[in-house]
Amino acid sequence: MPTPSSPSKPVSLFRLDGTEAEHELLVSLTAEQVTTDVPVDLSGTAARLVAGTFRTEMPQWVPHAAALTGSRLDLSSTLPFAVLLVPRPPWTYAVAWGAGHLVLNDEYVEQGFGLLFGIRRLDPYDLGLVASAALDVSARATQISIPGGGELSAFRLEPYGDLVNRLAGSADLTDLTYGRVTGKRYRIRVGNSLWAPLAKEPDAFLADLDAVGAVVDEPDAESALRFVAQTRPLERHHRLVPTLERRLAEAFEDESAALGLTWPGAAVHDAENAGSFRITGLGAGGPLHVEARLELAHLTGRLAEIPVDRRIKALRAGRVVTCADEAGEEETGTPLPVARWLVFETTIDHVRYVFHQGRWYRIGETYVEQMRAQVADLLSRKYFWPDVTWRPSGESDDENRYCHRVAGEPGYLCLDRDFATTPLHPRFELCDLLGPGDELIHVKWLGRATAASHLYTQALVSAEALHDEPEALAQLAAKVSAADPDRVLTEAPRTVVLAAAGRAWQVDELFTLSQIALLRLDRAVRGLQATLRFADIPYVPKRTTRAQPVLRRRKR
């Protein structure tokens, strides 16, 4: 007996802004690329079908293969595409076949549309794929697949700070024709689009589109996947972007603004080990050469001199590059836009917005409050600090001088600027101070709420190296013995201390992304069988001065 044909067929479904003119929803296509562009009547709904082919270029490896073998290779080909635009006000749905997704104008595609459906219909106990990116300085991207399906906990997502981009798994499709007719579940894929079976017959197809829209509009309070929607990137043309960018532009001359420096994901290693930095294309005055560590003031000083209405453009035009040498002559990385080196936070109508790695993100207020409660609990793990006041001198070696003063107290050893080297970490600090109980103490002046990220990175690199690399522990033991011959270190320290001056370890003093990173750090440190603690260093506030970066020296 022949198997009855399915009433539906899986397709990629996108949702676009239905208020825009239809021709704006597609990218520009040439006459050679389009073979079909016709109106379609779908049971009284005026749709539009556009189909054709893209011709691909010759692969870059063809000349090498031809030269090596002496054979002539003609391997250019075509990519067929088809897109069906179906207006269902206030949206326009787009069904894409083949390379059809390349035809859609990304400016008008609703970002995360498929995820909104998946949050409400995917089975959290039978997921097959989770793709995410870390909302921190690492910008780490992860994709985990479990072919047989697994529950959400098996994918080891961070409770905070993981931006989920795509999901796949078994879904309840009783709202759609497929589910009603077959009574079966279906393994769908969701992201910016929804890949799921939609009806072949026009009336049922339109009913499926309406059902998808209804599902997306449902409350997600009962879904175990609702956290996915808590942190989402804003579309480039979101109505709030001009307001957010204006606030960012004005923050460069506001000392109280939640503005800070961060390392771009592609430059974390180079930035941590840089001998100097070079800034180009940022306002008038020519290139800037910054010796030692890049500070926020090096960027804000230039940006504050640029008219407010031109600062955002300058952020994207200016470049920062790491250099291995102190003279700024040996570049070690790729010049990256200044926008990638800054992080900023603001609130509109009780919703938190963060500018990070050059993009805007919305962070739900419920999410923020839950996170704040956990951070407040974490910060209660205090470490007693000796009565040594940090009096800033304005010199670049302030931190080192202070660490040496603390080392005058019983049991403390100064290891600041005493670098270690291992196969996985060519140059890093094991700690700034070793405490009386062999605590790894990392010291920093936190001038702004966002400055903590570098302290977190230093602490995590050290803890990981001491846990995973015998060479790191051997070097720490040797440094301790050299500083105090009567002191012997035989195992990795079990306490990591973050000691800060400039501001107290209080939840209200930390930027949202700093809170996210702190929770991630605590989880990582606990996984290394160590405990994170916090010390408030007594200090005298710094006097506000305008940074004067050193001009790059010219080669002779």
Side-chain angles (χ1 to χ4, degrees), residues 468-523:
D468 300 332
E469 300 180 88
E471 301 95 331
L473 181 56
Q475 290 177 53
L476 178 60
K479 294 176 189 295
V480 170
S481 296
D484 183 354
D486 296 326
R487 191 164 174 178
V488 178
L489 188 74
T490 58
E491 63 178 7
R494 295 304 178 93
T495 300
V496 177
V497 179
L498 303 184
R503 59 182 60 237
W505 284 113
Q506 297 176 0
V507 66
D508 291 335
E509 295 283 334
L510 290 175
F511 189 53
T512 298
L513 289 190
S514 293
Q515 294 179 37
I516 290 174
L518 186 57
L519 290 173
R520 298 171 74 97
L521 174 63
D522 178 60
R523 181 172 177 176

Side-chain angles (χ1 to χ4, degrees), residues 420-444:
T421 299
T422 68
L424 293 179
H425 302 94
R427 184 174 182 266
F428 71 101
E429 285 185 313
L430 290 160
C431 59
D432 295 312
L433 291 161
L434 192 71
D438 292 338
E439 302 90 351
L440 294 169
I441 303 173
H442 302 276
V443 176
K444 189 168 181 63

Side-chain angles (χ1 to χ4, degrees), residues 114 136 142-143 148-149 195 202 204 237 259 274 309 328-329 359 370 432 469 473 475 540 548:
D136 60 16
T142 303
Q143 177 173 306
W195 188 83
H237 291 271
L259 177 71
D309 60 347
E329 303 293 346
R359 289 202 65 175
Q370 292 172 349
D432 295 312
E469 300 180 88
L473 181 56
Q475 290 177 53
V540 174
Q548 297 293 334

Side-chain angles (χ1 to χ4, degrees), residues 134-355:
L135 195 60
D136 60 16
V137 295
S138 73
R140 166 189 51 80
T142 303
Q143 177 173 306
I144 299 176
S145 299
I146 301 179
E151 62 181 81
L152 181 61
S153 61
F155 292 86
R156 301 189 59 78
L157 286 171
E158 293 284 350
Y160 297 98
D162 262 353
L163 181 70
V164 176
N165 299 314
R166 288 179 293 125
L167 296 168
S170 175
D172 176 6
L173 298 183
T174 53
D175 308 273
L176 306 183
T177 301
Y178 176 87
R180 289 195 305 272
V181 172
T182 67
K184 298 178 181 178
R185 289 174 168 258
Y186 197 88
R187 299 194 74 81
I188 66 172
R189 300 194 298 264
V190 298
N192 287 337
S193 65
L194 164 65
W195 188 83
L198 298 182
K200 301 174 184 177
E201 190 273 325
D203 284 329
F205 171 79
L206 294 175
D208 281 352
L209 293 186
D210 293 338
V212 168
V215 169
V216 169
D217 290 339
E218 287 179 3
D220 64 1
E222 302 302 319
S223 172
L225 299 173
R226 62 185 180 279
F227 74 92
V228 171
Q230 290 290 329
T231 303
R232 301 307 315 155
L234 284 189
E235 299 172 32
R236 287 178 297 171
H237 291 271
H238 191 281
R239 61 180 180 82
L240 288 178
V241 167
T243 301
L244 293 169
E245 291 190 339
R246 180 74 184 188
R247 290 191 182 186
L248 172 58
E250 293 171 346
F252 297 122
E253 46 193 348
D254 180 1
E255 286 290 327
S256 65
L259 177 71
L261 189 71
T262 187
W263 296 154
V268 173
H269 179 269
D270 291 333
E272 289 294 335
N273 295 286
S276 63
F277 295 80
R278 193 164 66 250
I279 305 169
T280 59
L282 190 63
L288 293 177
H289 166 232
V290 180
E291 296 180 342
R293 182 168 289 275
L294 181 68
E295 300 289 349
L296 179 64
H298 294 134
L299 302 176
T300 58
R302 275 292 180 89
L303 287 162
E305 296 172 353
I306 299 172
V308 172
D309 60 347
R310 290 165 47 195
R311 288 176 186 169
I312 299 302
K313 183 177 181 180
L315 275 183
R316 306 194 185 283
R319 293 290 187 272
V320 178
V321 65
T322 56
C323 300
D325 61 319
E326 293 184 355
E329 303 293 346
E330 302 174 24
E331 295 184 3
T332 57
T334 301
L336 297 173
V338 171
R340 299 278 300 279
W341 297 80
L342 293 171
V343 61
F344 173 68
E345 174 185 317
T346 189
T347 300
I348 298 178
D349 296 332
H350 307 293
V351 177
R352 202 71 53 94
Y353 295 90
V354 171
F355 183 77

Side-chain angles (χ1 to χ4, degrees), residues 365-410:
E365 193 61 19
T366 301
Y367 177 94
V368 172
E369 291 305 318
Q370 292 172 349
M371 180 174 62
R372 284 171 56 86
Q374 291 197 30
V375 172
D377 182 63
L378 174 59
L379 294 177
S380 67
R381 298 186 207 150
K382 295 296 185 181
Y383 177 83
F384 177 77
W385 195 253
D387 188 18
V388 180
T389 301
W390 188 333
R391 292 181 170 85
S393 67
E395 299 297 327
S396 60
D397 63 346
D398 253 1
E399 180 184 306
N400 184 256
R401 291 184 188 185
Y402 180 74
C403 288
H404 277 287
R405 288 181 57 211
V406 175
E409 298 294 308

